[in-house]
């Protein structure tokens, strides 16, 4: 996707469709300043943060994922693309987080499970939850049962959210749920799970309360859990 004339392209001169296309190319090529600049231009043109996120950034990451799967891209390039995505997300974050009321809707402890270092999707979910008014305690990546437990004891959340992007780390969600069951913690804390390899069937099998397909849906589900959408 690299463009030899990349340096000559003035992003602000492109129309919206071409700019989105260019941003997806830039994200693929891991060009952090360009992706950040493109994000700012779309915002300046009146695009709402969610549309920028989904069309330009998540859309671009899809091509990265496909070529990673097919052995065309390797870990360093994917990491660079992820960093470019984070550059754009840095601008969107405060907008998404401020997009709804600021009255505390409830508390959520969220983390990517043990063995897994993917955090882009989980951070998006955290952002959307903040936007929906939740107080979010983001434990980061590679989160063990002990860390989830400690955070639950400390923050007394309404919801615990677990993310996994690898088929090999998905089963750790069941470990956390079993530990919660042993301690009779499930009556007070709802469990939401998500991540690209999950589906409703898996969520049902491990007895999670909710499966979040994407960040926007997850924020709506979380509101339902605390009785706001009911
Ligand atoms: Co990784 N990786 N990766 N990777 N990586 C995948 C997941 C993979 C599908 C790529 C592929 O083969 N096509 C594949 C997994 C295969 C499998 O398990 N079946 C894979 C692999 C194999 C690996 C390594 C093992 C590669 C290696 O080292 N050989 C390694 C694992 C490291 C580890 O975790 N131990 C690895 C490493 C990496 C990087 C570090 C290079 C980088 C992560 C950087 C980072 O996150 N900071 C990376 C990336 C970027 C990806 C892809 C390309 C993109 C993931 C992403 O960010 N998507 C990914 C391919 C893909 O998914 N297409 C891939 C964008 C994000 C917005 O979507 O995360 O799905 P997603 O989140 C969505 C929903 O799923 C949902 O909402 C989000 C927003 O809408 N959601 C939730 C997510 N969490 C939720 C929680 C909820 C609710 C909803 O409730 C709590």
């Amino acid at each position: 996707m690299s463009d030899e004339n990349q340096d000559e392209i003035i992003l602000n001169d492109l129309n919206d469709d071409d700019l989105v296309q260019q941003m997806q190319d830039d994200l693929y090529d891991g060009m952090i300043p360009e992706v950040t600049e493109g994000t700012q231009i779309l915002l300046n043109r009146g695009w709402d943060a969610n549309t920028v996120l989904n069309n330009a950034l998540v859309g671009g990451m899809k091509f990265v994922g496909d070529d990673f799967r097919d052995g065309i891209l390797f870990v360093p390039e994917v990491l660079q693309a992820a960093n470019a995505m984070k550059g754009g997300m840095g601008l969107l974050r405060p907008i998404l987080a401020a997009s709804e009321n600021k009255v505390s809707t409830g508390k959520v402890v969220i983390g990517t499970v043990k063995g897994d270092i993917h955090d882009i999707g989980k951070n998006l979910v955290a952002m959307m939850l903040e936007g929906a008014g939740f107080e979010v305690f983001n434990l980061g990546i590679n989160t063990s049962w002990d860390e989830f437990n400690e955070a639950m004891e400390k923050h007394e959340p309404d919801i615990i959210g677990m993310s996994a992007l690898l088929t090999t780390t998905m089963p750790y969600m069941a470990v956390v749920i079993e530990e919660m069951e042993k301690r009779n913690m499930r009556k007070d804390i709802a469990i939401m799970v998500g991540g690209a390899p999950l589906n409703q069937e898996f969520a049902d099998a491990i007895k999670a309360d909710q499966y979040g397909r994407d960040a926007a849906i997850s924020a709506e589900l979380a509101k339902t859990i605390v009785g706001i959408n009911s």
Side-chain angles (χ1 to χ4, degrees):
M1 280 217 187
S2 290
D3 187 331
E4 284 176 11
N5 297 320
Q6 184 70 53
D7 291 341
E8 292 160 29
I9 294 171
I10 297 170
L11 294 179
N12 211 11
D13 287 349
L14 299 177
N15 66 35
D16 286 6
D17 285 348
D18 289 345
L19 177 56
V20 168
Q21 172 71 53
Q22 185 60 45
M23 285 170 69
Q24 293 190 350
D25 286 355
D26 289 344
L27 190 138
Y28 186 97
D29 291 332
M31 300 169 75
I32 303 170
E34 287 77 1
V35 172
T36 310
E37 187 190 340
T39 302
Q40 187 61 61
I41 292 171
L42 287 176
L43 289 173
N44 293 346
R45 290 182 186 176
W47 282 48
D48 74 86
N50 255 315
T51 313
V52 179
L53 177 66
N54 289 322
N55 293 18
L57 303 185
V58 175
M61 195 49 104
K62 161 103 182 51
F63 295 113
V64 175
D66 290 350
D67 282 0
F68 188 34
R69 177 198 60 215
D70 296 340
I72 297 166
L73 291 182
F74 297 95
V75 171
E77 290 110 315
V78 178
L79 212 42
Q80 194 65 13
N83 285 336
M85 177 152 180
K86 284 181 178 176
M89 275 164 60
L91 291 176
L92 301 178
R93 185 175 207 287
I95 302 170
L96 291 171
S99 59
E100 285 194 32
N101 63 72
K102 288 272 77 173
V103 180
S104 178
T105 311
K107 290 191 211 168
V108 183
V109 160
I110 190 167
T112 301
V113 297
K114 190 173 167 185
D116 202 320
I117 63 168
H118 295 86
D119 67 355
I120 296 174
K122 182 261 301 168
N123 289 343
L124 273 177
V125 175
M127 258 185 229
M128 298 297 278
L129 287 168
E130 283 176 6
F134 284 90
E135 202 177 341
V136 178
F137 302 95
N138 190 337
L139 307 184
I141 54 172
N142 196 21
T143 312
S144 66
W145 155 250
D146 285 341
E147 289 164 313
F148 277 119
N149 189 28
E150 198 180 309
M152 285 189 279
E153 280 175 3
K154 187 167 168 199
H155 303 299
E156 299 182 339
D158 302 284
I159 303 169
I160 171 179
M162 290 185 276
S163 178
L165 263 287
L166 298 172
T167 45
T168 48
T169 55
M170 287 160 60
Y172 194 76
M173 294 173 163
V175 173
V176 173
I177 293 175
E178 274 164 30
E179 292 297 335
M180 288 178 72
E181 265 169 11
K182 274 190 221 158
R183 292 163 179 77
N184 203 20
M185 293 164 82
R186 293 206 56 173
K187 60 180 175 38
D188 301 318
I189 305 174
I191 299 164
M192 177 153 63
V193 295
L198 274 72
N199 55 28
Q200 187 65 55
E201 206 183 350
F202 177 78
D204 292 342
I206 61 170
K207 298 193 219 135
D209 295 301
Q210 297 285 356
Y211 161 61
R213 200 184 67 228
D214 64 37
I217 288 174
S218 302
E220 289 306 311
L221 288 173
K223 286 201 268 182
T224 306
I225 291 172
V226 296
I228 290 177
N229 278 348
S230 51

